Amino acid sequence: MVDKATTSTRMNPDTTAADAARRFSVAPMMDWTPRDQRAFARTLTRRALLYTEMVTTGAILHGSPRERFLGYSAIEQPLALQLGGSDPLELAECAAIAEQWGYAEVNLNVGCPSDRVQNNLIGACLMAYPELVARCVAAMRAAVTIPVTVKCRIGIDDQDDEADLAHFIDTVAASGCTTFIVHARKAWLQGLSPKQNRDVPPLDYERIHRLKQARPALHIGLNGGLKTLQACQQELAMVDSVMVGREAYQNPWLLAHVDRDIFGDAGTPPTRLEAMQAFRPYVASRLAEGVRLNHITRHILGLFSGCRGGRRFRRYLSETAHRSDAGLDVYDRAMALIAEQDARREPPERMTY
């Protein structure tokens, strides 16, 4: 396992691994996409672009050890680091550090609605300051050769979504940013909790479609509410890329079909048990580092959702993996429980994504 790249890979931003993988990506999600989840995702898809959880500039510049915030395994590539911050100099320094660590892309968070990040001028509140975001992006781009991208919302609070989104995109694009991933919900920073902001504001895919039609030279990606690969394919006829969040975490088996259905790769997707077997060496290495088993296996609890034996699998890991002495024997027993139930047979409603 490699935790840090010793040298940065200097690449043409027009032909990077991140650009090739961006057609389908897994959204950055706090507490849901740490390194163990990303390593597991790689047993299901080789091609999708993966994102870290948001990491603030303060954590990178002042936290210790830096490995805690930036460490990853080589198997996770192509991998993008999402940064939270609003100081151009700090963001530029962190972007340069990210490139040194081997990340394939740096993404600026302009979409998180949390009160905590708002107080530090991080996340969705930055949509009210497009000129500042443009300065941040310009500073980051000047510091690195890897892509610098922006993830935002369609608007915040009482903004006139269409006009204000257009102004935000055009202002930031003038700084040289060509890639925007847009969450298709407005963020209500006053009156709704972060959890409510994931569900209550209505989805507006058409606004993102119009944004792409009006700005064909920009890469416009769509995020929010996508639950099937069929829906992703439909959106890819109108936008450049799709980003899937909660569904990819809660029903990770969706990812097993991404390489074939989204990227057109030949071959048969792995079975669920094959994915668990492929993940086993990683689990062993993390256990050897002193990581608790439940911190790893919490990310695979949804793997057998809808399968015979899936409930028993989840219950066994939930009740056993947290024990201080839980090791590979617990992991292997979880696999055995599924094998005993002949879980490889797919229910009809789970066959198509």
Side-chain angles (χ1 to χ4, degrees):
M1 182 186 304
V2 178
D3 289 321
K4 183 180 76 169
T6 55
T7 60
S8 64
T9 303
R10 312 295 284 189
M11 307 174 73
N12 182 337
D14 293 328
T15 57
T16 66
D19 288 321
R22 194 175 293 114
R23 182 172 174 82
F24 182 100
S25 61
V26 179
M29 294 175 285
M30 293 301 295
D31 298 323
W32 283 19
T33 54
R35 60 190 301 176
D36 296 326
Q37 184 276 336
R38 301 189 306 257
F40 175 64
R42 278 289 173 244
T43 69
L44 300 169
T45 171
R46 302 185 314 277
R47 299 288 300 275
L49 180 61
L50 303 181
Y51 281 80
T52 68
E53 304 167 281
M54 182 187 71
V55 183
T56 65
T57 54
I60 294 174
L61 297 177
H62 308 297
S64 181
R66 191 165 282 173
E67 157 71 21
R68 174 185 171 192
F69 305 102
L70 294 178
Y72 66 90
S73 301
I75 58 174
E76 298 169 42
Q77 292 284 11
L79 177 64
L81 175 69
Q82 186 180 68
L83 285 175
S86 57
D87 183 286
L89 294 179
E90 291 182 353
L91 283 165
E93 184 176 357
C94 289
I97 293 169
E99 184 172 35
Q100 291 166 5
W101 277 66
Y103 283 93
E105 173 191 308
V106 179
N107 177 266
L108 180 61
N109 185 319
V110 191
C112 179
S114 161
D115 291 340
R116 181 169 58 88
V117 300
Q118 284 183 60
N119 294 335
N120 292 297
L121 201 59
I122 296 172
C125 62
L126 285 172
M127 292 203 70
Y129 306 96
E131 291 79 10
L132 173 58
V133 175
R135 293 198 300 273
C136 290
V137 169
M140 294 164 72
R141 293 187 69 249
V144 300
T145 62
I146 57 177
V148 174
T149 66
V150 169
K151 185 174 187 295
C152 63
R153 294 272 185 148
I154 59 172
I156 56 171
D157 297 334
D158 293 321
Q159 284 184 336
D160 173 71
D161 304 281
E162 200 89 23
D164 286 311
L165 176 60
H167 175 63
F168 175 85
I169 296 293
D170 292 341
T171 302
V172 179
S175 73
C177 182
T178 60
T179 300
F180 297 85
I181 300 96
V182 187
H183 188 140
R185 285 188 174 93
K186 176 182 278 193
W188 286 96
L189 305 182
Q190 305 295 325
L192 292 182
S193 69
K195 182 178 185 301
Q196 289 172 318
N197 265 297
R198 293 194 294 267
D199 297 296
V200 174
L203 289 164
D204 192 346
Y205 292 167
E206 289 75 18
R207 180 162 286 134
I208 300 177
H209 299 165
R210 292 193 295 271
L211 179 69
K212 174 58 188 176
Q213 290 169 0
R215 292 156 182 81
L218 296 179
H219 178 110
I220 303 297
L222 183 148
N223 170 233
L226 296 169
K227 295 183 179 299
T228 69
L229 294 189
Q230 182 179 11
C232 290
Q233 290 168 326
Q234 291 171 348
E235 289 304 316
L236 284 169
M238 292 168 281
V239 296
D240 297 301
S241 62
V242 291
M243 175 181 279
V244 178
R246 282 173 288 171
E247 188 67 19
Y249 185 89
Q250 295 168 340
N251 178 27
W253 185 238
L254 174 144
L255 297 176
H257 298 77
V258 164
D259 293 358
R260 181 193 66 193
D261 294 354
I262 301 298
F263 291 95
D265 289 0
T268 303
T271 66
R272 289 172 167 88
L273 281 175
E274 287 170 348
M276 281 199 71
Q277 192 63 47
F279 192 48
R280 190 179 186 275
Y282 175 88
V283 174
S285 67
R286 291 288 277 162
L287 289 172
E289 294 172 8
V291 178
R292 295 282 289 266
L293 181 64
N294 64 315
H295 292 171
I296 306 168
T297 57
R298 70 185 179 94
H299 303 296
I300 68 173
L301 294 178
L303 180 60
F304 294 94
S305 177
C307 292
R308 186 184 298 180
R311 186 175 301 175
R312 187 182 180 194
F313 169 84
R314 291 192 300 274
R315 183 171 64 246
Y316 174 74
L317 283 179
S318 297
E319 294 176 352
T320 311
H322 70 280
R323 297 175 183 171
S324 60
D325 61 345
L328 275 180
D329 57 325
V330 171
Y331 187 84
D332 291 340
R333 178 55 183 159
M335 284 196 291
L337 289 173
I338 289 294
E340 292 166 6
Q341 293 291 329
D342 190 25
R344 293 189 182 198
R345 187 174 68 182
E346 296 283 342
E349 66 271 20
R350 285 295 197 185
M351 288 288 286
T352 300
Y353 291 98

